[in-house]
Amino acid sequence: MPRSRGQMKQNAPDSRVFLFLQGPHGPFFHRLGTMLRRAGSTVWRVGFNAGDRAFWFHPRSYIPYRGKADDWAQTFINLIEEKNVTDIVLYGDVRPIHANAVAEAKRRGITVHVFEEGYMRPYWVTYERNGTNGNSRLMDMSVEQMQTALALSDMEAPLPPGHWGDMRQHVFYGALYHWFVMFRNGDYRNFQPHRSLTVVHEFKLYLQRLLLMPLHTLDRVQATLRIRNGGFPYHLALLQLEHDSSFQKHSPFTSMTEFLELVIKGFAQGASGHHHLVIKAHPLEDGRSPIRRTIRALTQEHGLKGRVHYVRGGKLAQLLNDARSAVTVNSTAAQQVLWRGIPLKVFGRAVFAKPEFVSDQPLPDFFAGASRPDNKAYKDYRRYLLETSQLPGGFYSARGRRQLLRQVVDMMLSSEDPYDALASGTAAPRQQLRLVN
C-alpha cells in the first residue's frame, strides 16, 4: 500500500556525499549546499573559474579545478572515488564538463541531480534526475502514462502569481559572474568557456544589456502597441538564444538565421495576404546574433514589407492574447501558447512536443489553417509537470530562492525521482503559489 503523500522515502542524509559542479549565476548553489549540509549530508563544490568561486562562501568545501579540459574526465573519476561521492549536482547537462560527469556518474550508479530553467518559466524551475530537456524522462513518456499517474493525486495545479520576475537579478548576476572571470581568473588560466564567445565579449554583452534596459523597454512597448492596435490577424514566431543548449543540442538548426529563413519563407507561401508575422526575441537576447538585419533582408526577399514585426524580448502574454498560431524551435515559451489553446508547431526536440497538442502540418499549411491542440490533454500534461519536476521559485532573486529551497532539498534527499514519487504515491505535497495583485 503506498505511503501517504507527506512520507517521502529518503536515504539517510548523513550517508550522502554531494558533489556540486557548475550552477546558475548567483548564490543559489551555495544556499542549496548549506541546507544539505544542515540536513547531515557532506557537500563539496568544484569550481572551474573565479566566477564559480565568488558565489561559494564555504571555503573548506571548495575544490578548484585548474587543469586542462582534456584532463577533467580523469580528475572527476579521482574526485568521486576519493570523496565517496553518492550524488552530483549541476545546472544544465550538455556543456562538456557536465556531459562527461553525467555519463561517468550513470555508469557508477551515482545519483545525478540536474537543475534547469523551468519548462514553465518564469514562475517555476526544473529539477530532474539524470537529464533535462532532450535528455529528460519526459521525452519517452506519453500523455496517457501521465494521466495514469495523476489518478493518484487529487491536488489542483497551482496558478502562477500575478507578478514575479528574476530578469534584472539574472542579468546582474550574469554580468558580475563574467566580471570575476575576466578580472580575477589568474588562478584558472586553463579555463575555457563552454560558449564560443570570449569571456570579455560575454561581459560586455551583459553590461550593455543592463545599461540599455530602459531604451529596450521603450522600443518593446512601442512595437507591442503597433501590433495590438494594428487590427490585423497575426502569427507568432518565438525565438531563442542561439547559444542556448536546447537550441544547439536538441534542434536541427545551427543558427537562428536558419530558423528565420524557414519560418518567413513558410509564412510567405502559406499565410493569407492580410495576415502578419510577429517575431519575438528571447528576453535575454543581447545582440550577438544579427536578428534585426536578418529579418529585414528576408522580409524584402519574400515581398512581405509591412507584414513582419520584430519585438525585443519582454513578456509574452500581451502578444499571445490575439495570436492565431505560434511556431518555435523548442522554446519553453510554447507552454504559454498551449495553455491558451493556440495552435503550435515546433521543429526541435522538446518535452512538450506530444502529438496530442503539437501540429505535424507542413509549415505553409500550418500558416494557412493550423489545427488546434487537444486542450484537455495539455492541461493534464501541465498538471503532471507541476506535480513533479516543476518547482515554484527561481534561482536569481532572494524571494525566488526562498520559495525554491522550501521544496527542493527534501526532493533531492528522496530515494525516488519526482516522476517515480508521484507514480508510487509518495510525492510530498506541493506548495500553492500565493497570488500577488
Side-chain angles (χ1 to χ4, degrees), residues 19-22 37 43-66 79 83 185 187-188:
L19 180 67
F20 282 60
L21 302 182
Q22 288 196 295
R37 201 177 294 113
V43 176
W44 299 96
R45 169 71 190 271
V46 180
F48 298 86
N49 58 53
D52 294 340
R53 176 67 185 87
F55 293 112
W56 189 262
F57 309 112
H58 191 264
R60 286 181 296 174
S61 62
Y62 182 77
I63 304 169
Y65 179 71
R66 300 187 177 98
L79 273 175
K83 305 295 186 184
N185 220 44
D187 289 341
Y188 302 87

Side-chain angles (χ1 to χ4, degrees), residues 83 123 167 186 224 236 286 304 316 333 382 395 433:
K83 305 295 186 184
Y123 310 116
M167 186 57 64
T224 302
L236 275 174
D286 53 20
L304 296 172
L316 184 58
R382 181 180 185 274
F395 299 124
L433 292 175

Side-chain angles (χ1 to χ4, degrees), residues 44-234:
W44 299 96
R45 169 71 190 271
V46 180
F48 298 86
N49 58 53
D52 294 340
R53 176 67 185 87
F55 293 112
W56 189 262
F57 309 112
H58 191 264
R60 286 181 296 174
S61 62
Y62 182 77
I63 304 169
Y65 179 71
R66 300 187 177 98
K68 296 180 179 179
D70 292 343
D71 299 328
W72 163 243
Q74 185 58 51
T75 301
F76 176 73
I77 291 172
N78 295 342
L79 273 175
I80 59 178
E81 291 178 349
E82 174 189 336
K83 305 295 186 184
N84 296 314
V85 170
T86 60
D87 303 72
I88 65 171
V89 187
L90 44 93
Y91 171 75
D93 60 338
V94 297
R95 64 182 70 177
I97 58 174
H98 287 173
N100 291 338
V102 169
E104 185 63 34
K106 288 180 179 179
R107 280 194 290 271
R108 293 169 176 259
I110 292 172
T111 303
V112 180
H113 307 268
V114 187
F115 287 89
E116 253 293 4
E117 302 295 340
Y119 295 145
M120 296 179 182
R121 69 187 72 171
Y123 310 116
W124 291 274
V125 305
T126 297
Y127 165 70
E128 294 185 273
R129 303 272 176 96
N130 294 325
T132 60
N133 294 311
N135 297 323
S136 168
R137 283 184 63 184
L138 292 168
M139 296 298 299
D140 300 318
M141 203 178 298
S142 68
V143 173
E144 185 178 1
Q145 289 173 312
M146 297 176 187
Q147 291 167 333
T148 299
L150 284 172
L152 297 170
S153 170
D154 58 0
M155 297 289 289
E156 291 293 329
L159 295 171
H163 60 80
W164 178 1
D166 287 358
M167 186 57 64
R168 282 188 292 273
Q169 295 93 330
H170 191 162
V171 174
F172 169 76
Y173 280 127
L176 186 58
Y177 175 92
H178 286 94
W179 184 90
F180 276 106
V181 177
M182 191 164 62
F183 294 111
R184 292 289 187 269
N185 220 44
D187 289 341
Y188 302 87
R189 299 186 185 280
N190 291 314
F191 171 69
Q192 296 178 347
H194 63 283
R195 294 173 180 162
S196 58
L197 293 184
T198 66
V199 173
V200 173
H201 198 172
E202 288 269 7
F203 171 74
K204 288 180 178 178
L205 289 172
Y206 269 102
L207 184 60
Q208 174 180 284
R209 177 163 180 78
L210 201 61
L211 295 174
L212 293 178
M213 269 188 170
L215 290 177
H216 291 173
T217 299
L218 179 61
D219 178 76
R220 179 173 67 249
V221 169
Q222 291 175 337
T224 302
L225 285 174
R226 284 194 296 270
I227 295 162
R228 296 185 68 187
N229 295 332
F232 44 75
Y234 63 85

Side-chain angles (χ1 to χ4, degrees), residues 309-325:
H309 311 265
Y310 175 72
V311 178
R312 187 194 293 272
K315 293 184 178 179
L316 184 58
Q318 290 181 328
L319 294 172
L320 273 178
N321 290 336
D322 296 313
R324 291 295 184 89
S325 71

Side-chain angles (χ1 to χ4, degrees), residues 320-335:
L320 273 178
N321 290 336
D322 296 313
R324 291 295 184 89
S325 71
V327 297
T328 187
V329 178
N330 52 10
S331 171
T332 55
Q335 302 273 9

